[in-house]
Amino acid sequence: MSTPYRAGAFRLSPEDYRALTDAAQANPEAYWQDQGKRLDWIKAPSNAQDTGTGWFSDGTLNASFNCLDRHLKTRADQTALIWQAEEAEHIIRLTYRDLHERVCRLANVLRDHGIRRGDRVAVHLPTVIEGVVSMLACARLGAIHVVLFGGFSPEAIADRLADSGASLVITANVGRRGAKRIPFKTTMDSALSLRPDSLSVKHVLVVSVTDEPVPMQAGRDDMLNPLLASASASCPIETMASTDPLFLLYTSGSTGKPKGIVHGTGGYLTWASYTHELVFDHQAGDVFWCTADIGWITGHTYVVYGPLSNGGTVLLFEGMPSHPKPGRWWDVIQAHKVTTFYTSPTAIRALMREGNDVPREYDLTSLRVLGTVGEPISQEAWSWFDDVIGGGRCAFVDTWWQTESGGILISPVPGAVKEKPASATLPLPGVNPILVDDKGHPLEGATEGVLCIDGSWPGRALTIWNDDALFETTYLRPYPGHYFTGDGARRDEDGYYWITGRVDDVINVSGHRIGSAEIEDALAAEHAIVESAAIGIPHDLKGQGIVVYAVARDPSHPDLEMLAVRAIAAKVGRYAVPEKVYIVPDLPKTRSGKNVRRLMRKIACGETDGLGDLSTLADPEIVEVLIAIVQG
Ligand code: WTA
């Protein structure tokens, strides 16, 4: 294996990096004011740090302007977006001028449909150009986009439409996946019909991904293409306060209810630009490919706002890693001379299984920086990616962050921070992680604890939509004075961080965050099931898999497992379907009635030696019963 740390090949040297870290430490206000200058402000902020009124609080700006208009002077003819269809020969290249024009047209269509600043617009699309265009069109008008993951079930969509109060939806007739068609519009129709009284959606705009017709509801639904064709190609920007919301994005936590994480404009965009440049060593001529769906935060920050605010070239790929044959992703990297490739450990684990001969058929020498996000990566997967894909030539950035952080917080910086396989390494300049014990006391030196962030950073979420109190209690109260991440971590003797996983009841399946409570709530609505517990257990391919223990009302009911799976698929989505459902007579509980998840996890993993002290259980005998059921 190579040494991926090669000072000199990248923008920053270790000395430059140290200078940044020192400057951020010595005078954070001056440091962040300086970083704020990477944006074009309508009114420049007089202060940077959040002293209670938000980051860059008196500044005004427009995010769409920063991603488009300001580049027109210098790079109107540079490619902003390359869209690669499933078919190799089908490629669309949009320059900054083209993208600006498309965004203006869509913004005008939205305005014609009554959308104004502060309104919520839901975006539910496959990987098509219109996804990026929709986000920037909303930003242009000051409307708040709410991108919904394509894999959500109608129930999950309806919940999010209701919570956000979205008044307009942009969806597609279908999405393409090989020969399969994903029914976006009919899924949306089902969502809209579920509980119409709680929804405020007045218009549905439909992108034609194929020419397949879909049912349209007169007065509510419009095909988007004809409207775009007749819309004006120029559209003024709305002046937004730095702390005005740019978007809501739903994520999972310890409660069953999805949380609408609210990101602001000035702080978030500064963070997107800062971290994209620093972590991916952004340079002119780069072709940046982040494989995340725009329905997740990674897609927001590193498909759209980071690279476009920095004037980069972004690749969007409609297809799948190994369709129509293994090596499709490597083919895309070769064809478009991708320099920067950002993906998930789950994808890497799957691709590793195809063997080393597949990638060796492709010329991957354009790659400079490889990145991963979303879950811990094993040393084996790290080394395979570094060696077989990166040829030992690339910087490797294992980036740790979360929906709430807006962008990367802990990651190597190419050329400046020596990597250690499978460690997220060091905080970015200006970020101050701490490890605390159960009581919230900070721990020093090499140790392990709960990961918190001391102070704030520009990308931190503003709040939870409609629930400021929940934001406080979830993130700011557990360890007063610090932001609580929900993760545990180990810090080694070099100060490097090794993320150990969630310390709450969030399960990470293939990088998708799923709350145990979301699954348990879905099952609670199922009459045949009295009570349940969803547990995350290690899974070779997905990182974590879900196991459910369910107590049935009538254990002789024939199809309980199927019922449970159906309920989860219907309420949450297929991505949350468990590996296994165990029908059990009862759950292990403490005498005060609390489920003992630790025990259920051990039993599901087959770790039945040393289950610890069972005397605190209300019914210690249930343990043997569960073991017998799990071991079949
Ligand atoms: C996990 C994705 C280990 C972590 C950007 C975090 C990671 C959650 C890493 C956030 C990493 C993310 N190593 N674990 N490099 N990156 N995680 O909100 O548990 O979808 O809290 O944001 O993913 O997931 P989210």
Side-chain angles (χ1 to χ4, degrees):
M1 205 191 77
S2 60
T3 309
Y5 168 79
R6 280 149 319 183
F10 298 98
R11 282 177 55 249
L12 293 190
S13 67
E15 292 70 36
D16 299 332
Y17 171 82
R18 208 162 306 126
L20 288 180
T21 307
D22 291 348
Q25 203 69 43
N27 188 345
E29 177 61 22
Y31 186 78
W32 294 122
Q33 277 196 16
D34 217 37
Q35 292 304 333
K37 293 185 184 135
R38 45 180 63 250
L39 303 184
D40 280 16
W41 298 84
I42 297 167
K43 175 177 175 292
S46 63
N47 66 298
Q49 286 171 293
D50 180 2
T51 51
T53 49
W55 281 86
F56 307 107
S57 57
D58 64 351
T60 65
L61 76 166
N62 182 283
S64 182
F65 181 91
N66 274 280
C67 291
L68 299 168
D69 307 53
R70 68 163 170 165
H71 301 315
L72 297 180
K73 286 188 290 258
T74 49
R75 45 171 66 96
D77 295 316
Q78 181 200 308
T79 304
L81 208 69
I82 305 168
W83 184 76
Q84 171 67 63
E86 282 201 336
E87 300 83 8
E89 64 284 2
H90 188 186
I91 297 165
I92 298 173
R93 283 194 181 77
L94 297 183
T95 62
Y96 270 95
R97 182 184 292 111
D98 299 333
L99 185 60
H100 175 260
E101 181 183 323
R102 288 207 188 201
V103 168
C104 286
R105 284 182 192 275
L106 180 54
N108 283 320
V109 171
L110 294 176
R111 201 197 308 269
D112 290 346
H113 283 75
I115 295 301
R116 299 289 179 268
R117 62 185 296 149
D119 291 346
R120 275 80 62 214
V121 172
V123 178
H124 180 241
L125 290 169
T127 306
V128 290
I129 291 168
E130 286 82 356
V132 177
V133 172
S134 298
M135 291 163 71
L136 294 172
C138 289
R140 206 162 182 86
L141 300 179
I144 301 170
H145 56 73
V146 187
V147 184
L148 302 172
F149 170 52
F152 285 145
S153 68
E155 294 254 6
I157 293 173
D159 287 345
R160 288 155 179 80
L161 291 175
D163 186 76
S164 65
S167 56
L168 186 146
V169 171
I170 303 174
T171 189
N173 60 342
V174 293
R176 309 194 313 158
R177 187 168 298 158
K180 260 176 62 182
R181 293 291 172 265
I182 318 289
F184 274 81
K185 173 67 163 62
T186 45
T187 300
M188 184 53 71
D189 285 342
S190 317
L192 292 173
S193 67
L194 277 176
R195 35 182 169 301
D197 294 347
S198 63
L199 302 185
S200 347
V201 175
K202 295 186 190 62
H203 299 287
V204 177
L205 302 177
V206 183
V207 174
S208 315
V209 172
T210 64
D211 45 25
E212 267 135 285
V214 281
M216 299 288 279
Q217 182 174 313
R220 187 194 71 183
D221 304 350
D222 285 297
M223 296 310 294
L224 188 54
N225 271 349
L227 298 175
L228 291 173
S230 60
S232 160
S234 78
C235 173
I237 53 165
E238 192 74 16
T239 299
M240 305 306 288
S242 176
T243 52
D244 279 336
L246 178 60
F247 63 86
L248 305 186
L249 189 61
Y250 284 88
T251 190
S252 302
S254 302
T255 64
K257 193 174 152 302
K259 299 182 285 191
I261 300 294
V262 184
H263 277 289
T265 306
Y268 169 80
L269 199 61
T270 299
W271 200 247
S273 165
Y274 175 70
T275 55
H276 167 257
E277 184 178 274
L278 208 58
V279 174
F280 298 104
D281 189 60
H282 173 62
Q283 298 184 19
D286 278 357
V287 177
F288 187 85
W289 184 16
C290 164
T291 63
D293 189 285
I294 60 158
W296 303 116
I297 190 69
T298 308
H300 280 56
T301 308
Y302 301 109
V303 174
V304 183
Y305 289 109
L308 295 179
S309 66
N310 288 336
T313 298
V314 173
L315 176 84
L316 276 184
F317 176 46
E318 184 194 29
M320 291 166 285
S322 304
H323 177 87
K325 64 179 182 89
R328 184 69 182 102
W329 267 10
W330 316 133
D331 186 39
V332 170
I333 291 175
Q334 171 179 283
H336 296 286
K337 300 196 164 46
V338 170
T339 56
T340 320
F341 182 52
Y342 191 31
T343 191
S344 67
T346 287
I348 295 169
R349 287 191 294 268
L351 292 162
M352 268 171 84
R353 296 201 167 183
E354 296 175 358
N356 297 356
D357 291 344
V358 174
R360 294 226 163 102
E361 281 172 40
Y362 300 89
D363 177 3
L364 304 177
T365 53
S366 58
L367 291 170
R368 282 194 315 119
V369 180
L370 301 177
T372 62
V373 60
E375 34 170 340
I377 183 166
S378 66
Q379 300 213 356
E380 189 197 3
W382 195 102
S383 299
W384 183 84
F385 196 39
D386 180 53
D387 183 26
V388 178
I389 304 308
R393 290 176 314 276
C394 298
F396 192 126
V397 292
D398 171 1
T399 65
W400 173 83
W401 58 294
Q402 35 187 211
T403 305
E404 297 87 338
S405 74
I408 297 162
L409 295 181
I410 303 182
S411 165
V413 170
V417 173
K418 209 181 204 110
E419 298 141 10
K420 292 188 191 182
S423 168
T425 76
L426 298 174
L428 296 183
V431 176
N432 301 302
I434 54 168
L435 297 180
V436 299
D437 65 16
D438 293 350
K439 310 225 160 36
H441 301 310
L443 302 164
E444 301 296 329
T447 185
E448 187 165 340
V450 172
L451 179 62
C452 291
I453 310 290
D454 199 14
S456 190
W457 65 97
R460 202 192 81 184
L462 302 183
T463 186
I464 293 173
W465 186 251
N466 282 337
D467 210 339
D468 294 341
L470 185 61
F471 187 83
E472 287 276 322
T473 53
T474 308
Y475 304 107
L476 307 179
R477 286 278 163 70
Y479 300 98
H482 312 300
Y483 166 89
F484 169 54
T485 67
D487 281 310
R490 180 167 71 78
R491 186 169 51 218
D492 70 15
E493 56 293 345
D494 295 324
Y496 278 39
Y497 288 86
W498 303 72
I499 309 299
T500 50
R502 301 287 303 195
V503 297
D504 55 9
D505 295 326
V506 169
I507 307 174
N508 190 329
V509 180
S510 301
H512 296 167
R513 253 169 94 163
I514 302 166
S516 300
E518 272 177 276
I519 294 178
E520 292 155 11
D521 284 3
L523 293 173
E526 187 59 53
H527 179 75
I529 291 167
V530 182
E531 194 187 7
S532 69
I535 307 284
I537 61 164
H539 187 284
D540 280 353
L541 217 51
K542 302 177 181 174
Q544 282 192 300
I546 301 170
V547 160
V548 168
Y549 292 90
V551 180
R553 203 168 295 282
D554 168 12
S556 66
H557 188 297
D559 278 326
L560 286 166
E561 287 160 42
M562 178 63 84
L563 264 183
V565 165
R566 279 218 199 104
I568 296 165
K571 297 263 175 197
V572 188
R574 291 219 52 89
Y575 69 100
V577 163
E579 307 300 315
K580 194 78 199 132
V581 178
Y582 297 114
I583 305 298
V584 295
D586 204 353
L587 302 178
K589 289 186 195 306
T590 59
R591 286 200 201 101
S592 55
K594 217 168 150 318
N595 286 341
V596 189
R597 291 175 182 276
R598 176 187 59 81
L599 265 181
M600 289 190 267
R601 183 172 304 113
K602 286 202 155 180
I603 294 171
C605 296
E607 297 166 11
T608 48
D609 296 337
L611 287 177
D613 180 13
L614 304 180
S615 66
T616 56
L617 295 185
D619 171 17
E621 271 156 36
I622 190 68
V623 171
E624 283 306 321
V625 179
L626 293 198
I627 292 175
I629 291 173
V630 168
Q631 298 187 345

